[in-house]
Amino acid sequence: GAVVSQHPSRVICKSGTSVKIECRSLDFQATTMFWYRQFPKQSLMLMATSNEGSKATYEQGVEKDKFLINHASLTLSTLTVTSAHPEDSSFYICSAREDRVGSYNSPLHFGNGTRLTVT
Amino acid sequence: AQSVTQLGSHVSVSEGALVLLRCNYSSSVPPYLFWYVQYPNQGLQLLLKYTSAATLVKGINGFEAEFKKSETSFHLTKPSAHMSDAAEYFCAVSRPSGGYQKVTFGTGTKLQVIP
């Protein structure tokens, strides 16, 4: 089955530093990837849609200068949390949909998430 | 706008008992609906999906869900709960947005299985 690899699984950083999270589709190509944020005991909130070769589309209320997204290839998207603060501590999850005919409504494949703690 | 509502943030069942997790949707067009499961500190795994084919959808791990248009529901069931079913379950709806499908998740239901 389709596998999405997300790295790192856990990261602790100091306030003011930047953290990069990688999301890779291992056995399929994904023109579009999605980044979610999940607060404790809450659902997933879509932050942005990452498009290969073009700018990401951010959801309302998400600071694009703080959460930098780069989708450099059909198998890799990165999320960089810049100048991180304690309130950025959260669980970040990426997902991807396989590029193939008829995949318009196919389910998303999720990474295992990254637990970010900013001290 | 399309959305899903999950009734009950926590559900407890005894091992071997029926599992019923409720999900209602609102949609102006025929929806594409999904159930995902999340284990602690992990991503989401697809349980099953409805894409306008059969109304009774069978998924992995013995789960199934029935699409009922008249009730705008897509409840998740399993005849006999297993300890390994303890997890959080999310109902989701997919809708077109800007040339691609955007997935919106419900607030989740945490399933506890009592031995």
Side-chain angles (χ1 to χ4, degrees):
Chain A
V3 177
V4 173
S5 174
Q6 188 172 341
H7 179 80
S9 58
R10 289 180 179 273
V11 58
I12 300 173
C13 70
K14 292 186 176 181
S15 186
T17 62
S18 295
V19 173
K20 179 184 283 188
I21 303 170
E22 291 188 349
C23 180
R24 295 180 184 272
S25 55
L26 295 187
D27 49 2
F28 65 97
Q29 293 185 332
T31 300
T32 304
M33 294 185 178
F34 304 89
W35 286 95
Y36 291 85
R37 183 173 179 176
Q38 186 178 31
F39 292 98
K41 302 181 180 181
Q42 294 188 29
S43 187
L44 284 76
M45 300 300 297
L46 180 65
M47 297 175 64
T49 302
S50 172
N51 301 293
E52 188 269 336
S54 64
K55 291 183 179 180
T57 303
Y58 290 83
E59 295 299 301
Q60 190 173 9
V62 177
E63 299 177 61
K64 61 181 180 181
D65 293 331
K66 179 166 190 63
F67 298 101
L68 299 179
I69 291 174
N70 184 16
H71 196 146
S73 75
L74 289 174
T75 59
L76 173 63
S77 175
T78 61
L79 169 69
T80 301
V81 183
T82 62
S83 186
H85 287 90
E87 57 265 30
D88 298 324
S89 298
S90 190
F91 193 55
Y92 294 87
I93 308 176
C94 73
S95 68
R97 181 176 284 117
E98 187 176 356
D99 288 342
R100 56 180 174 84
V101 175
S103 69
Y104 192 59
N105 277 307
S106 60
L108 297 174
H109 304 290
F110 285 84
N112 279 333
T114 297
R115 174 74 61 191
L116 171 63
T117 303
V118 184
T119 60
Chain B
Q2 301 186 41
S3 66
V4 289
T5 301
Q6 290 183 244
L7 300 177
S9 58
H10 287 80
V11 170
S12 293
V13 300
S14 297
E15 189 176 16
L18 171 72
V19 176
L20 170 61
L21 304 182
R22 299 177 185 274
C23 173
N24 288 87
Y25 69 90
S26 64
S27 175
S28 57
V29 297
Y32 291 91
L33 296 161
F34 308 87
W35 274 100
Y36 287 89
V37 60
Q38 183 182 33
Y39 296 98
N41 292 313
Q42 292 188 25
L44 276 68
Q45 180 183 5
L46 179 70
L47 278 177
L48 49 81
K49 61 180 179 180
Y50 168 76
T51 55
S52 74
T55 56
L56 181 62
V57 182
K58 293 186 183 297
I60 62 172
N61 301 339
F63 284 94
E64 61 182 37
E66 186 172 6
F67 173 74
K68 292 187 176 180
K69 185 177 179 180
S70 61
E71 299 178 8
T72 62
S73 68
F74 190 57
H75 301 331
L76 181 71
T77 60
K78 182 174 180 177
S80 177
H82 193 273
M83 295 300 295
S84 61
D85 295 327
E88 186 142 24
Y89 293 80
F90 292 94
C91 183
V93 63
S94 178
R95 61 183 174 90
S97 176
Y100 53 85
Q101 291 292 91
K102 182 180 289 189
V103 178
T104 301
F105 291 88
T107 51
T109 299
K110 181 166 283 188
L111 175 66
Q112 179 185 21
V113 182
I114 303 168

